[in-house]
Amino acid sequence: KMSHNDAYVNAIERAKQVVSKFSTPDDGNSNGGYVGSKRPADSMNQYPSAEKRPFNDRAAAAAHEAAARLSQKITGGGGPPLQDPPMRQITTETCIPDRFVGLVIGKKGEQITSLQNDSNCKVQISQEGGRPERIVTLTGTPQQVAHAKQLLNDIIERAEKSSTGGPSS
């Protein structure tokens, strides 16, 4: 099982690789140590690939931004879950007691959104009510699915503990 720290380190390494691909000059000229920053105005037209440079700087900036978002995501910042294409996706079904569906979804969907953001796993609750249990479909990498299951169980355990302690105010 990969820890958050390992995932963080791997993500940063990948981001650095992406940045280095975009930052290295591909025109054979050294750009005098100005990678990622502005060139002095007097050397503006000395580059044979002057059209390409701004694109590379933009791409490097985009890669830096992606790395920052990834870093924030892994260290618990907000934002939508990022998709990491080459990971194996699985879909698993689990059940939760029907009476806890509202609790799991939360006010205005806040609880389920936070659950999805924390685990990076897609969480869908079956619409079919009237049964004692509801099917919950979890989609993500095996680690994300396991994390989401754990968070779901935590919510339900907390609710069961508080509901057995007599009427709550």
PDB file of all heavy atoms in Angstrom, residues 75-93:
ATOM      1  N   THR A  75      -1.462  17.033   0.082  1.00  0.00           N
ATOM      2  CA  THR A  75      -1.278  17.501   1.447  1.00  0.00           C
ATOM      3  C   THR A  75      -2.591  17.986   2.055  1.00  0.00           C
ATOM      4  O   THR A  75      -2.594  18.616   3.084  1.00  0.00           O
ATOM      5  CB  THR A  75      -0.227  18.631   1.509  1.00  0.00           C
ATOM      6  OG1 THR A  75      -0.627  19.674   0.609  1.00  0.00           O
ATOM      7  CG2 THR A  75       1.148  18.127   1.134  1.00  0.00           C
ATOM      8  N   GLY A  76      -3.709  17.728   1.394  1.00  0.00           N
ATOM      9  CA  GLY A  76      -5.000  18.001   1.995  1.00  0.00           C
ATOM     10  C   GLY A  76      -5.626  19.314   1.583  1.00  0.00           C
ATOM     11  O   GLY A  76      -6.571  19.760   2.201  1.00  0.00           O
ATOM     12  N   GLY A  77      -5.134  19.959   0.526  1.00  0.00           N
ATOM     13  CA  GLY A  77      -5.763  21.189   0.044  1.00  0.00           C
ATOM     14  C   GLY A  77      -7.074  20.856  -0.641  1.00  0.00           C
ATOM     15  O   GLY A  77      -7.368  19.700  -0.897  1.00  0.00           O
ATOM     16  N   GLY A  78      -7.862  21.867  -0.984  1.00  0.00           N
ATOM     17  CA  GLY A  78      -9.146  21.619  -1.639  1.00  0.00           C
ATOM     18  C   GLY A  78      -8.975  21.409  -3.122  1.00  0.00           C
ATOM     19  O   GLY A  78      -7.890  21.124  -3.605  1.00  0.00           O
ATOM     20  N   GLY A  79     -10.052  21.545  -3.867  1.00  0.00           N
ATOM     21  CA  GLY A  79      -9.972  21.424  -5.318  1.00  0.00           C
ATOM     22  C   GLY A  79     -10.529  20.110  -5.800  1.00  0.00           C
ATOM     23  O   GLY A  79     -10.690  19.169  -5.039  1.00  0.00           O
ATOM     24  N   PRO A  80     -10.828  20.052  -7.099  1.00  0.00           N
ATOM     25  CA  PRO A  80     -11.402  18.823  -7.665  1.00  0.00           C
ATOM     26  C   PRO A  80     -10.342  17.729  -7.738  1.00  0.00           C
ATOM     27  O   PRO A  80      -9.155  18.024  -7.828  1.00  0.00           O
ATOM     28  CB  PRO A  80     -11.825  19.249  -9.070  1.00  0.00           C
ATOM     29  CG  PRO A  80     -10.922  20.391  -9.403  1.00  0.00           C
ATOM     30  CD  PRO A  80     -10.630  21.079  -8.097  1.00  0.00           C
ATOM     31  N   PRO A  81     -10.762  16.470  -7.692  1.00  0.00           N
ATOM     32  CA  PRO A  81      -9.776  15.389  -7.790  1.00  0.00           C
ATOM     33  C   PRO A  81      -9.069  15.418  -9.142  1.00  0.00           C
ATOM     34  O   PRO A  81      -9.701  15.667 -10.158  1.00  0.00           O
ATOM     35  CB  PRO A  81     -10.613  14.114  -7.675  1.00  0.00           C
ATOM     36  CG  PRO A  81     -12.001  14.528  -7.408  1.00  0.00           C
ATOM     37  CD  PRO A  81     -12.122  16.000  -7.569  1.00  0.00           C
ATOM     38  N   LEU A  82      -7.773  15.189  -9.143  1.00  0.00           N
ATOM     39  CA  LEU A  82      -7.020  15.158 -10.389  1.00  0.00           C
ATOM     40  C   LEU A  82      -7.016  13.734 -10.928  1.00  0.00           C
ATOM     41  O   LEU A  82      -6.874  12.797 -10.161  1.00  0.00           O
ATOM     42  CB  LEU A  82      -5.569  15.603 -10.142  1.00  0.00           C
ATOM     43  CG  LEU A  82      -5.381  17.054  -9.752  1.00  0.00           C
ATOM     44  CD1 LEU A  82      -3.946  17.309  -9.343  1.00  0.00           C
ATOM     45  CD2 LEU A  82      -5.734  17.957 -10.926  1.00  0.00           C
ATOM     46  N   GLN A  83      -7.153  13.586 -12.220  1.00  0.00           N
ATOM     47  CA  GLN A  83      -7.112  12.264 -12.829  1.00  0.00           C
ATOM     48  C   GLN A  83      -5.668  11.921 -13.157  1.00  0.00           C
ATOM     49  O   GLN A  83      -4.959  12.723 -13.720  1.00  0.00           O
ATOM     50  CB  GLN A  83      -7.961  12.252 -14.115  1.00  0.00           C
ATOM     51  CG  GLN A  83      -9.440  12.434 -13.845  1.00  0.00           C
ATOM     52  CD  GLN A  83     -10.007  11.366 -12.918  1.00  0.00           C
ATOM     53  OE1 GLN A  83      -9.779  10.192 -13.108  1.00  0.00           O
ATOM     54  NE2 GLN A  83     -10.744  11.788 -11.899  1.00  0.00           N
ATOM     55  N   ASP A  84      -5.247  10.712 -12.825  1.00  0.00           N
ATOM     56  CA  ASP A  84      -3.895  10.254 -13.095  1.00  0.00           C
ATOM     57  C   ASP A  84      -4.003   9.066 -14.048  1.00  0.00           C
ATOM     58  O   ASP A  84      -4.193   7.944 -13.612  1.00  0.00           O
ATOM     59  CB  ASP A  84      -3.237   9.838 -11.768  1.00  0.00           C
ATOM     60  CG  ASP A  84      -1.833  10.379 -11.650  1.00  0.00           C
ATOM     61  OD1 ASP A  84      -1.322  10.864 -12.668  1.00  0.00           O
ATOM     62  OD2 ASP A  84      -1.263  10.308 -10.557  1.00  0.00           O
ATOM     63  N   PRO A  85      -3.927   9.303 -15.358  1.00  0.00           N
ATOM     64  CA  PRO A  85      -4.311   8.300 -16.343  1.00  0.00           C
ATOM     65  C   PRO A  85      -3.725   6.888 -16.194  1.00  0.00           C
ATOM     66  O   PRO A  85      -4.481   5.953 -16.158  1.00  0.00           O
ATOM     67  CB  PRO A  85      -3.896   8.912 -17.689  1.00  0.00           C
ATOM     68  CG  PRO A  85      -3.729  10.348 -17.418  1.00  0.00           C
ATOM     69  CD  PRO A  85      -3.461  10.510 -15.961  1.00  0.00           C
ATOM     70  N   PRO A  86      -2.400   6.680 -16.061  1.00  0.00           N
ATOM     71  CA  PRO A  86      -1.937   5.305 -16.191  1.00  0.00           C
ATOM     72  C   PRO A  86      -2.188   4.402 -14.987  1.00  0.00           C
ATOM     73  O   PRO A  86      -1.588   3.355 -14.886  1.00  0.00           O
ATOM     74  CB  PRO A  86      -0.438   5.457 -16.456  1.00  0.00           C
ATOM     75  CG  PRO A  86      -0.073   6.783 -15.929  1.00  0.00           C
ATOM     76  CD  PRO A  86      -1.320   7.604 -15.852  1.00  0.00           C
ATOM     77  N   MET A  87      -3.074   4.787 -14.058  1.00  0.00           N
ATOM     78  CA  MET A  87      -3.346   3.937 -12.900  1.00  0.00           C
ATOM     79  C   MET A  87      -4.545   3.032 -13.188  1.00  0.00           C
ATOM     80  O   MET A  87      -5.475   3.427 -13.872  1.00  0.00           O
ATOM     81  CB  MET A  87      -3.648   4.794 -11.672  1.00  0.00           C
ATOM     82  CG  MET A  87      -2.451   5.525 -11.141  1.00  0.00           C
ATOM     83  SD  MET A  87      -1.269   4.387 -10.443  1.00  0.00           S
ATOM     84  CE  MET A  87      -1.575   4.684  -8.726  1.00  0.00           C
ATOM     85  N   ARG A  88      -4.506   1.827 -12.620  1.00  0.00           N
ATOM     86  CA  ARG A  88      -5.579   0.858 -12.828  1.00  0.00           C
ATOM     87  C   ARG A  88      -6.821   1.313 -12.054  1.00  0.00           C
ATOM     88  O   ARG A  88      -6.753   1.525 -10.843  1.00  0.00           O
ATOM     89  CB  ARG A  88      -5.111  -0.505 -12.310  1.00  0.00           C
ATOM     90  CG  ARG A  88      -6.041  -1.640 -12.611  1.00  0.00           C
ATOM     91  CD  ARG A  88      -5.345  -2.956 -12.329  1.00  0.00           C
ATOM     92  NE  ARG A  88      -4.983  -3.065 -10.913  1.00  0.00           N
ATOM     93  CZ  ARG A  88      -5.756  -3.656 -10.008  1.00  0.00           C
ATOM     94  NH1 ARG A  88      -6.923  -4.164 -10.342  1.00  0.00           N
ATOM     95  NH2 ARG A  88      -5.353  -3.745  -8.758  1.00  0.00           N
ATOM     96  N   GLN A  89      -7.929   1.475 -12.766  1.00  0.00           N
ATOM     97  CA  GLN A  89      -9.188   1.883 -12.143  1.00  0.00           C
ATOM     98  C   GLN A  89     -10.026   0.639 -11.849  1.00  0.00           C
ATOM     99  O   GLN A  89     -10.090  -0.266 -12.674  1.00  0.00           O
ATOM    100  CB  GLN A  89      -9.980   2.782 -13.106  1.00  0.00           C
ATOM    101  CG  GLN A  89      -9.315   4.106 -13.411  1.00  0.00           C
ATOM    102  CD  GLN A  89      -9.649   5.166 -12.380  1.00  0.00           C
ATOM    103  OE1 GLN A  89     -10.796   5.409 -12.079  1.00  0.00           O
ATOM    104  NE2 GLN A  89      -8.626   5.782 -11.828  1.00  0.00           N
ATOM    105  N   ILE A  90     -10.650   0.625 -10.684  1.00  0.00           N
ATOM    106  CA  ILE A  90     -11.559  -0.468 -10.368  1.00  0.00           C
ATOM    107  C   ILE A  90     -12.884   0.121  -9.923  1.00  0.00           C
ATOM    108  O   ILE A  90     -12.954   1.289  -9.535  1.00  0.00           O
ATOM    109  CB  ILE A  90     -10.999  -1.401  -9.260  1.00  0.00           C
ATOM    110  CG1 ILE A  90     -10.822  -0.645  -7.943  1.00  0.00           C
ATOM    111  CG2 ILE A  90      -9.706  -2.075  -9.706  1.00  0.00           C
ATOM    112  CD1 ILE A  90     -10.567  -1.555  -6.741  1.00  0.00           C
ATOM    113  N   THR A  91     -13.939  -0.683 -10.009  1.00  0.00           N
ATOM    114  CA  THR A  91     -15.251  -0.268  -9.514  1.00  0.00           C
ATOM    115  C   THR A  91     -15.719  -1.336  -8.540  1.00  0.00           C
ATOM    116  O   THR A  91     -15.680  -2.524  -8.859  1.00  0.00           O
ATOM    117  CB  THR A  91     -16.243  -0.112 -10.676  1.00  0.00           C
ATOM    118  OG1 THR A  91     -15.764   0.924 -11.530  1.00  0.00           O
ATOM    119  CG2 THR A  91     -17.627   0.264 -10.179  1.00  0.00           C
ATOM    120  N   THR A  92     -16.103  -0.914  -7.353  1.00  0.00           N
ATOM    121  CA  THR A  92     -16.512  -1.837  -6.294  1.00  0.00           C
ATOM    122  C   THR A  92     -17.853  -1.383  -5.747  1.00  0.00           C
ATOM    123  O   THR A  92     -18.122  -0.187  -5.701  1.00  0.00           O
ATOM    124  CB  THR A  92     -15.479  -1.819  -5.136  1.00  0.00           C
ATOM    125  OG1 THR A  92     -14.206  -2.122  -5.669  1.00  0.00           O
ATOM    126  CG2 THR A  92     -15.818  -2.820  -4.069  1.00  0.00           C
ATOM    127  N   GLU A  93     -18.658  -2.354  -5.329  1.00  0.00           N
ATOM    128  CA  GLU A  93     -19.920  -2.000  -4.684  1.00  0.00           C
ATOM    129  C   GLU A  93     -19.852  -2.390  -3.222  1.00  0.00           C
ATOM    130  O   GLU A  93     -19.282  -3.415  -2.870  1.00  0.00           O
ATOM    131  CB  GLU A  93     -21.089  -2.724  -5.368  1.00  0.00           C
ATOM    132  CG  GLU A  93     -21.389  -2.149  -6.735  1.00  0.00           C
ATOM    133  CD  GLU A  93     -22.642  -2.744  -7.360  1.00  0.00           C
ATOM    134  OE1 GLU A  93     -23.156  -3.751  -6.849  1.00  0.00           O
ATOM    135  OE2 GLU A  93     -23.090  -2.183  -8.367  1.00  0.00           O
TER     136      GLU A  93
END
